[in-house]
Amino acid sequence: MNCSLKYLIILSLFIFNLGCSIYSFTGSSIPKNAKVVYIEEVINNTPLSNPELSNLFTEKLNNYILKNTNLKTSNENPDITFKGQITKYDINPISINSQNNASQNRLSIEIKIEYYNKEDSLNNFNKNFTNYADFNSSDNFLDIESELNEQIIDKLVEDIFLASFSNW
């Protein structure tokens, strides 16, 4: 196959893909008619977590979507809606030392996300996303809790974004 034919095929495929969706350099794929996203305040249904966790999660998801898409935020007639609830906030030992004490602990956070896209309802979902961060049991959890929450939420937000806007 000659070089110009290869370029013509690649260009044709690129143009075809643009007609189906809007692609960004982040790898996201958003239906071209979708303009507005609404992220409801995430509900915290865990008894022992940081009270600021739901607000932090909502804010991080909102900022990540706005930064990585051309969508605008509004609660009036959104094309895409996210609803979420934090369903798990647990600390469990993952490594035991010779004295039968925990030497490593794991903070796990699970969030249930409902994703609704009125422009592309075939990709709507209701899924649980879980992620975690490990820490030394000798660390005072209250001193590192905010940092651990940030790390976990960042990973969860990326997972949710990919599940919502990636057709790869």
Side-chain angles (χ1 to χ4, degrees):
M1 184 181 298
N2 69 31
C3 191
S4 61
L5 183 57
K6 286 182 188 177
Y7 289 121
L8 182 60
I9 290 171
I10 291 170
L11 181 61
S12 298
L13 289 172
F14 180 73
I15 291 171
F16 175 77
N17 280 337
L18 282 178
C20 298
S21 297
I22 296 174
Y23 284 84
S24 75
F25 292 108
T26 63
S28 63
S29 173
I30 301 164
K32 65 180 177 180
N33 294 331
K35 306 284 186 237
V36 178
V37 63
Y38 175 59
I39 301 163
E40 288 188 16
E41 181 76 26
V42 172
I43 299 166
N44 189 347
N45 286 333
T46 62
L48 299 176
S49 65
N50 185 320
E52 297 173 7
L53 192 63
S54 63
N55 186 49
L56 178 64
F57 187 88
T58 305
E59 184 179 304
K60 282 191 171 266
L61 181 59
N62 190 55
N63 289 342
Y64 194 90
I65 289 171
L66 292 177
K67 179 181 173 189
N68 291 289
T69 70
N70 290 328
L71 297 171
K72 305 296 180 217
T73 303
S74 176
N75 62 351
E76 294 183 28
N77 197 28
D79 301 304
I80 297 170
T81 304
F82 288 89
K83 294 180 183 181
Q85 55 183 311
I86 300 166
T87 57
K88 182 174 125 182
Y89 190 88
D90 289 337
I91 301 171
N92 292 303
I94 58 168
S95 178
I96 306 295
N97 64 22
S98 61
Q99 290 83 28
N100 285 332
N101 295 322
S103 59
Q104 284 280 122
N105 289 322
R106 174 171 289 166
L107 172 62
S108 299
I109 299 175
E110 181 178 85
I111 184 161
K112 180 179 180 181
I113 293 290
E114 293 177 42
Y115 169 79
Y116 173 73
N117 183 337
K118 73 179 186 182
E119 298 294 325
D120 184 13
S121 62
L122 292 177
N123 290 318
N124 291 349
F125 63 77
N126 190 347
K127 290 184 185 178
N128 290 334
F129 296 85
T130 304
N131 219 301
Y132 63 88
D134 297 338
F135 61 98
N136 290 325
S137 60
S138 60
D139 294 338
N140 182 342
F141 178 71
L142 295 177
D143 290 342
I144 60 172
E145 181 180 18
S146 293
E147 180 184 334
L148 295 172
N149 286 338
E150 293 261 351
Q151 290 173 17
I152 297 168
I153 289 172
D154 286 344
K155 293 180 214 174
L156 287 168
V157 164
E158 282 185 35
D159 291 345
I160 292 164
F161 183 85
L162 290 173
S164 307
F165 300 121
S166 178
N167 289 332
W168 297 86

